[in-house]
Amino acid sequence: MRRPLPSRLLSTARRLGANRGAAVFAVVTIGACVAGVAQAHPFTRTLPAEPTEDRLEGFDVTPAVGAAELHVAGTGYAIWADPDSAVVSLASADGRVYTSLPLCALAGRAAIPSGAHAHTTLTGHVLTTTMVAADGTVLSQATLTPSPSSFTVSFTAPLGPQRALAPSFFADGHRGLDMTTIQDGYTPDPRATSVSPAPVVSTVGRTPFAPPPLQVQLRGTPGWMGLGLVQVPSATSMRVGHDGAVSIDYPLASVDATADLGAGTGQAGMLRFPDFVVTFAADPLTGLRAYHDALVGLKAVTVASPPGSRPAWWSEPIVDTWGEQMAVHAFRGSPAFTADWVRSFAADWKARYHVDHFTLVIDSRWQERIGDPMPDPLRFGGVAGMRALIDELHAQGLHVLLWWPMWAHRIDTIPLSAKLARTATPERLIDPTTTSFQSEMAATVGALVGSGGDALAADGLKLDWQYNIPATVSNPARGYGALALYRYMDAIHSSAHRLRPDAMIDASAAAPQFAAVADTLRLYDAWSTAEWDRRAALVAAVNPDMLIDGDGWQVDATTVIPHTVASTVYGTPAMYFGKTWVGGLPITPALTDQLGAVVSLSSIKGQGHPVPLAGGEWQYEVGKAVTARTFAHAHALVVRAPACAQNWHGTVTSTVPGRLLVPMAGSRLVSAVDSAGHRVAAQLVAQGVMLTLRAGAVYQLNFAGGC
């Protein structure tokens, strides 16, 4: 029997396999006679057919890699499907299996009922699976749309009777992803061990990133595959269970089939869920970058403040009162925390660290009550007293951010506990789903950053407690969980930028979709330099166009130097202490001199992208130019301006003395001078410049011959 059509299609698949680097994908439909030529196909591994007695349902048959009737091929992956099964097999381009998974969703039901059947079709480039009940009712529909290096899956489903159940995806109640082929998993949620066989990401609970990237990854034989959400979900968590089901806690018990769960309102009795995007990579950080790039390709990421658009002052060091408040017991509602305390702290910090321009954060709590823009009338003098303080700081060349605790509204006792977030009455919590929310939030932001006589004229806000999302909102069909958080942050960000285009909204939302509603990404409290570096590397991968606020609240005398050096290179350093560590130990003048020399270089490097290097070092790139590098185990750094000219210079400082290799050089070293202009001995070598450094001193290397 002649098979001209399948032969031509298989030939196409071979060519694609041989040219996997090309940005193309193929869709192949193969007839029943494909079994006779399967041996000639370049996909070498074939899944064995399941014995009939082991099949739970007719729609649950796993298609054979290399021999299934429907085939979608990208440059690095291949999908195999059969017309009568909801399950697809996912493999690498050379036939190694990642897993198999049902293109099915369960919304308000525990399983697809007995007697249901599947219809899977391939139309053009799109694979569609419809689950149909015995009476003809559609139970689930999934649409798989490929792109060269990833694919998306869209799910719709009617709302079933068991609405208390969390919806499940890539699951039919009998099975989910085939976990027997999965060797490991990864979560970008900083609260958990990154490697987990059942990864979870969550927006609630005390999480440093609220939300973390909305993606988890699984490792199969070919490498890592990522399961990420495209739109912001009306949910708080996503997890892969040990049974392979992907569950997301959309609030089905509180909505009807017309609710907007993040992908738009439901239609024709079918709920629409945010899409999944499936990506592939050799390691988890590369997988996070693949997730970011896929979202950009899907136009799901808008960066409010990308490199090149930011005001210059955003790159000046951040100095936050909170650490010193804790060190001297002037925290929260303490009577010691006053406008005069802030004045003294700012003046003392400037004198000790020898830095004239920085962004001062007036932290918790300057308000009379939490979640109220009215400054405390006794400690800060109400609106008039706080405005006078901010005006004075502006006159000194400083910018000012005000700490803003999210979700709490006119609450006297802090910190806001998880129980209070669950049980507080509606008037004590912000609800982004009410009809009056937008106007009320605009008025609040106007009182904080507006320039009128009755406003505080701050330069921006430091958002805190993003994770304290209320468990109950008045209209969950408008937003719940991460989507409610997005609505809240969007109202703050848009209102602030309407009032002043250079307003900085500092937040800790690491999901790339949230780059539209924040200007900087705070790494939040950590306990070690290694943990800050881990978070920074995660952000650099998944949010490369966001400015990183290095934070620094948890530093001590041991970690302050490497963390400050690294964060000066990968973002904006944030200093929390002036003269005293928590515990009462004084900070030595020698250390403040060294740290001041480091952070003073922050703004020189320009606006680009951070890149982690081996051994815990960092570099910063603006276009193709490396404008900053750490060295000496993140105890020293060299910085240069992004502009390239015939003559240029790099600025160096170190917190350790000795003869060190500075990893930046030009064609010809003209001179090396200290801060007084005196020449110092330096030698141009293949990897940079050998230079003898004094701790805390600043040096300039002058080059000629271009960059």
Side-chain angles (χ1 to χ4, degrees), residues 252-319:
L252 299 190
S254 305
V255 300
D256 59 28
T258 64
D260 182 357
L261 298 177
T265 56
Q267 296 179 351
M270 301 279 280
L271 283 168
R272 296 173 59 192
F273 296 97
D275 301 340
F276 288 87
V277 60
V278 180
T279 52
F280 306 93
D283 59 79
L285 284 182
T286 309
L288 287 172
R289 176 56 62 88
Y291 175 49
H292 166 271
D293 293 348
L295 292 180
V296 170
L298 293 165
K299 302 188 185 308
V301 173
T302 301
V303 182
S305 304
S309 71
R310 304 167 191 150
W313 66 267
W314 288 9
S315 295
E316 294 171 356
I318 296 170
V319 179

Side-chain angles (χ1 to χ4, degrees), residues 538-699:
L538 188 156
V539 171
V542 80
N543 248 322
D545 293 323
M546 284 286 282
L547 177 61
I548 297 175
D549 167 0
D551 212 305
W553 144 232
Q554 299 285 0
V555 297
D556 55 21
T558 301
T559 59
V560 67
I561 286 176
H563 178 58
T564 302
V565 170
S567 60
T568 298
V569 170
Y570 63 61
T572 297
M575 310 292 286
Y576 277 66
F577 299 93
K579 60 186 177 183
T580 311
W581 296 117
V582 171
L585 291 174
I587 301 175
T588 66
L591 181 57
T592 60
D593 289 349
Q594 293 169 18
L595 294 173
V598 169
V599 301
S600 68
L601 306 182
S602 174
S603 60
I604 296 174
K605 66 182 183 288
Q607 299 180 22
H609 307 93
V611 178
L613 304 175
E617 305 288 8
W618 284 86
Q619 73 182 27
Y620 198 78
E621 299 176 358
V622 180
K624 295 183 179 180
V626 175
T627 61
R629 277 282 304 266
T630 67
F631 60 100
H633 306 291
H635 279 67
L637 73 160
V638 55
V639 183
R640 53 156 285 201
C644 183
Q646 183 66 19
N647 298 300
W648 61 279
H649 67 265
T651 305
V652 183
T653 191
S654 174
T655 62
V656 291
R659 191 160 180 80
L660 301 173
L661 175 65
V662 180
M664 184 179 288
S667 301
R668 183 165 61 90
L669 178 63
V670 176
S671 64
V673 297
D674 61 19
S675 57
H678 301 135
R679 285 181 174 267
V680 295
Q683 179 185 3
L684 184 64
V685 296
Q687 297 82 20
V689 176
M690 293 300 301
L691 185 66
T692 300
L693 302 167
R694 289 184 293 107
V698 178
Y699 301 85

Side-chain angles (χ1 to χ4, degrees), residues 402-425:
L402 295 176
W403 175 74
W404 184 253
M406 297 187 69
W407 303 110
H409 187 223
R410 297 179 178 175
I411 286 178
D412 297 313
T413 302
I414 60 169
L416 181 67
S417 67
K419 180 180 179 180
L420 185 56
R422 290 194 310 271
T423 61
T425 55

Side-chain angles (χ1 to χ4, degrees), residues 71 109 120 155 182 200-201 241 276 287 290 295 344 395 415 527 560 628 690:
H71 177 207
R109 64 181 78 245
T120 297
F155 288 103
I182 299 301
V200 181
V201 289
F276 288 87
L295 292 180
S344 176
W527 297 99
V560 67
M690 293 300 301

Side-chain angles (χ1 to χ4, degrees), residues 176-192:
L177 285 80
D178 181 5
M179 300 300 282
T180 64
T181 64
I182 299 301
Q183 302 165 19
D184 225 327
Y186 169 83
T187 174
D189 193 324
R191 289 173 297 180

Side-chain angles (χ1 to χ4, degrees), residues 339 366 374-387:
W366 53 268
M374 173 60 70
D376 188 282
L378 297 178
R379 295 182 293 110
F380 283 87
V383 172
M386 179 64 90
R387 176 62 181 266

